[in-house]
Amino acid sequence: MQSIHLKTTVGEDGVLRVPLPPEYQNQELEAIVIWELLPKFDRFKKPPLKMGFGASLSNKSQLSAQIR
């Protein structure tokens, strides 16, 4: 059994597309789909920088202050 973990968007047609490696073309398979609805986000906003133990820094100046 193989597994794949991905983050994707369901199309406006309601169809989830899962790209598979070429060796699976024209093959019959059984799939299990487990999903988690993710919060909406702004694709153009930079995510916060992460530093150990789950701490997050929102910009480089905080990062340099943290290092000092």
Side-chain angles (χ1 to χ4, degrees):
M1 179 182 287
Q2 302 293 320
S3 66
I4 184 171
H5 182 193
L6 56 96
K7 290 183 181 178
T8 187
T9 302
V10 176
E12 287 190 19
D13 57 2
V15 175
L16 172 66
R17 289 174 177 74
V18 179
L20 296 175
E23 60 265 20
Y24 291 101
Q25 291 178 345
N26 300 313
Q27 298 291 321
E28 189 170 318
L29 58 87
E30 179 176 326
I32 300 170
V33 179
I34 301 169
W35 68 88
E36 177 181 1
L37 188 59
L38 298 175
K40 293 207 180 243
F41 66 96
D42 184 352
R43 291 193 304 188
F44 302 105
K45 183 178 178 184
K46 289 185 178 181
L49 298 172
K50 295 278 184 182
M51 257 190 94
F53 302 106
S56 77
L57 302 172
S58 60
N59 62 43
K60 290 181 183 177
S61 64
Q62 286 181 323
L63 176 61
S64 60
Q66 183 78 16
I67 293 172
R68 289 184 205 150

